[in-house]
Amino acid sequence: MENSLKGLMLAAGIIITCIIISLGFYIAREASDTASSGTGQIHQLQAEFADTSKTMYENTEVSGSEVINVIRKFSDEMIGIKVQTKKNTSFYIYQFNEGDGSLGAVSTNDVKRAQTPSNAGYINPTGRFLGAVVRDANGTITGLSFVQQ
């Protein structure tokens, strides 16, 4: 009888151990799913914050001097800046297609030309411009457009 009691206690101990191990695996799997969901949300927020420096110009009226600062600020990035004045339309850094957001060739215009009053692409520092953001099919910001008001 003692042997059968020991056998039952051993079986109960094994069953309880299996239940505890199963619960441990279940909790670990749930924690892993929660962690990867949180990581995805963090990456999404990080992408949104990275774009904030560009999306702040969406439907915003800015001065010509701010447009010139934008050209300087993004001069090292893969982005096109279109400036449409009352006289001329010029692209800076890269040219782009406003329809589909695709980037084109590197622009030959620079900030010095934009600041030269005799140049057709002159940006009046006191002029008012309405900004817009241009995205490609993937939703990546590929251009900023400024139209003089």
Side-chain angles (χ1 to χ4, degrees):
M1 182 127 140
E2 253 179 56
N3 286 340
S4 62
L5 185 60
K6 284 184 181 181
L8 285 174
M9 298 234 344
L10 180 64
I14 291 174
I15 290 173
I16 290 173
T17 302
C18 288
I19 290 172
I20 291 173
I21 291 173
S22 297
L23 281 174
F25 281 121
Y26 174 77
I27 291 170
R29 186 176 53 241
E30 289 297 316
S32 173
D33 291 345
T34 302
S36 54
S37 171
T39 302
Q41 290 175 349
I42 288 171
H43 287 302
Q44 182 181 4
L45 286 173
Q46 183 180 16
E48 288 175 13
F49 284 131
D51 286 347
T52 302
S53 63
K54 297 173 188 119
T55 57
M56 66 187 264
Y57 297 107
E58 181 71 41
N59 293 322
T60 303
E61 190 172 299
V62 295
S63 67
S65 61
E66 178 65 20
V67 172
I68 291 170
N69 287 336
V70 168
I71 296 168
R72 281 191 191 117
K73 179 179 178 181
F74 297 119
S75 64
D76 294 335
E77 295 191 27
M78 291 282 296
I79 189 169
I81 298 175
K82 176 186 164 190
V83 181
Q84 183 177 341
T85 64
K86 305 257 184 204
K87 286 184 175 180
N88 192 19
T89 300
S90 302
F91 286 91
Y92 296 90
I93 308 171
Y94 283 91
Q95 296 177 12
F96 62 91
N97 181 334
E98 281 190 279
D100 64 6
S102 60
L103 281 178
V106 175
S107 175
T108 58
N109 291 325
D110 61 5
V111 175
K112 290 179 184 176
R113 286 185 176 179
Q115 292 177 311
T116 306
S118 61
N119 189 327
Y122 173 66
I123 299 172
N124 183 352
T126 60
R128 303 303 301 165
F129 292 83
L130 182 63
V133 174
V134 178
R135 297 177 187 268
D136 66 5
N138 289 332
T140 303
I141 296 175
T142 56
L144 295 173
S145 174
F146 295 97
V147 178
Q148 189 171 14
Q149 300 297 298

